[in-house]
Amino acid sequence: MIHVEIAAETLFTIGGFEVTNSMVGAVLASLLLLAGAWYINRRSALVPHRLQSLLELPVEWVAGIVEGSSSRWRGYVALVIGLFLMILVANWLSLVPGVGVVGVEETVEGHEVLVPFVRPAAADLNFTLGLALITFVVFVWWGVRLHGPVGYLKELVGEPRYMAPLMFPIHLISELSRLVSLSMRLFGNVFAGEVLIATMLALTTAAIFVLPLAFFVPAIFLGLELLFGAVQALVFALLTMTYITMAIAEGQGDHADEHEASDDHDAQPSTTTASSPA
Amino acid sequence: MEPDDENDLGTGDKPTGRSPQANWGVAFDLGIRLGISVILGLGAGLLLDSWLHTRPIFTLIGMVLGIAAAMYTIWDAAHDAMRK
């Protein structure tokens, strides 16, 4: 029977605090990242060896992308790389044999179900919402830091001021939709992947004559999960970068446009005239 | 990366251009945010109506604001892209 619980299952409690299997997944991913960081810190060489190059590759790649986003990129590059690596490792952890399939049998509503010891962290909305909240707080903080609390509120209220009763709720919904979309997208994709693999395993082991399919059909979907895990980690990290970049640029953009238009007009009047529809 | 600005957080406020990967991210984001904006507006309207017993006034207002927020999201993304 296919059973994938939408909420993370509680494994045990410590003084009233429930420890779920997705928390175990998140802690394992963190420990793996810490081990990698410790290794790089202790064993790194000026001329990197093979393992060091492998560990540095994703960091340098994401740093290269973030570098081009804004002149203030050093202020948020660590967050973007940290989010990317955390989500990547947490997603790929679900492909390790034993994760999601080794656990204890429990009876739920008269059915025997397996409660796995480890569940992919991003298949729990609490984890993805936590990461999205960090992103939300950081990009709001960048906006407030650069434009001041009053300037940030002015951005939310919009121009002209008499439109504020209409524009403020629209801006507020638009800002909150970023938080919800970040968390729901990651959770939805990872959880859907878990359901898909469980379904494929159940279908290919349902009858003896389809059993040979169980050796390669789930493998195709596991391969796709490898790709989707990396894509989702990248999307989350890049959207974090984009939101922070937009928070930095907001308020400056319109003035920058005016300056740019003025510069273009002064520098290339003939081009502007030629490209004009009139 | 300049070696002389190791500890500098930068001073300019303008984006220096967005990578193609970041544009994919915005494209992935835009579709889902349209739906979420409408759901958020509608949800807030339903909550207000159940709290103030004014159904369907705030539900309708919330839905309109949600749709407007979705339109604004598209405009904001387009404006940001044209600024690059």
Side-chain angles (χ1 to χ4, degrees):
Chain A
M1 181 193 158
I2 304 167
H3 177 82
V4 184
E5 193 69 41
I6 198 158
E9 295 104 331
T10 305
L11 292 176
F12 54 90
T13 54
I14 304 172
F17 181 76
E18 292 183 351
V19 176
T20 63
N21 45 13
S22 68
M23 284 183 196
V24 176
V27 169
L28 277 177
S30 305
L31 287 175
L32 275 171
L33 282 174
L34 281 173
W38 177 83
Y39 180 83
I40 285 283
N41 198 33
R42 294 288 298 270
R43 304 285 297 274
S44 61
L46 196 61
V47 179
H49 44 89
R50 202 170 289 175
L51 184 59
Q52 188 186 338
S53 298
L54 188 72
L55 291 172
E56 284 178 355
L57 187 73
V59 176
E60 286 180 358
W61 183 55
V62 179
I65 295 170
V66 178
E67 194 179 353
S69 66
S70 150
S71 55
R72 292 179 187 266
W73 66 279
R74 284 176 193 279
Y76 54 86
V77 65
L79 174 76
V80 177
I81 292 173
L83 284 171
F84 174 73
L85 291 178
M86 182 66 197
I87 297 168
L88 184 73
V89 173
N91 286 351
W92 282 0
L93 199 66
S94 65
L95 304 173
V96 173
V99 173
V101 289
V102 177
V104 286
E105 290 274 347
E106 282 185 6
T107 309
V108 178
E109 295 171 356
H111 297 286
E112 285 283 317
V113 293
L114 179 81
V115 176
F117 292 130
V118 185
R119 174 188 168 121
D124 182 1
L125 188 59
N126 295 299
F127 176 79
T128 60
L129 191 61
L131 294 183
L133 273 170
I134 293 171
T135 297
F136 185 77
V137 168
V138 169
F139 76 72
V140 169
W141 179 80
W142 269 100
V144 171
R145 180 189 167 192
L146 293 176
H147 312 306
V150 178
Y152 184 75
L153 279 175
K154 276 183 183 170
E155 284 292 325
L156 283 183
V157 167
E159 290 282 351
R161 290 284 179 266
Y162 61 84
M163 292 291 281
L166 179 67
M167 292 311 290
F168 182 72
I170 288 175
H171 279 137
L172 202 63
I173 292 170
S174 184
E175 291 288 303
L176 285 175
S177 72
R178 292 177 180 180
L179 172 71
V180 180
S181 85
L182 272 178
S183 54
M184 292 300 284
R185 183 191 311 99
L186 182 58
F187 166 71
N189 278 288
V190 176
F191 185 72
E194 288 295 300
V195 174
L196 187 67
I197 289 173
T199 308
M200 286 303 137
L201 275 172
L203 285 174
T204 51
T205 53
I208 191 78
F209 63 89
V210 289
L211 209 54
L213 293 173
F215 290 100
F216 61 91
V217 170
I220 296 168
F221 289 94
L222 286 170
L224 284 172
E225 278 305 302
L226 201 70
L227 177 70
F228 293 156
V231 168
Q232 288 308 316
L234 186 65
V235 166
F236 196 102
L238 292 181
L239 283 174
T240 300
M241 179 195 81
T242 306
Y243 292 158
I244 296 172
T245 310
M246 285 169 81
I248 290 171
E250 260 170 25
Q252 312 287 322
D254 295 336
H255 303 298
D257 287 349
E258 286 164 18
H259 288 307
E260 269 176 24
S262 152
D263 291 348
D264 289 348
H265 184 74
D266 293 343
Q268 297 171 323
S270 59
T271 312
T272 312
T273 314
S275 62
S276 162
Chain B
M1 191 185 301
E2 295 297 323
D4 57 341
D5 59 355
E6 279 293 314
N7 299 312
D8 180 25
L9 291 183
T11 50
D13 291 336
K14 278 190 67 186
T16 54
R18 192 187 284 160
S19 63
Q21 293 93 332
N23 286 326
W24 300 343
V26 173
F28 274 119
D29 185 49
L30 203 55
I32 197 166
R33 274 182 69 195
L34 298 185
I36 285 170
S37 297
V38 179
I39 291 168
L40 280 177
L42 197 60
L46 281 167
L47 279 176
L48 274 174
D49 269 338
S50 66
W51 182 41
L52 300 170
H53 304 288
T54 50
R55 185 167 294 177
I57 296 169
F58 285 108
T59 306
L60 291 172
I61 293 173
M63 193 175 71
V64 170
L65 285 176
I67 293 168
M71 298 299 163
Y72 174 77
T73 302
I74 298 174
W75 180 85
D76 198 33
H79 183 249
D80 183 57
M82 283 188 289
R83 204 163 52 196
K84 299 284 177 294

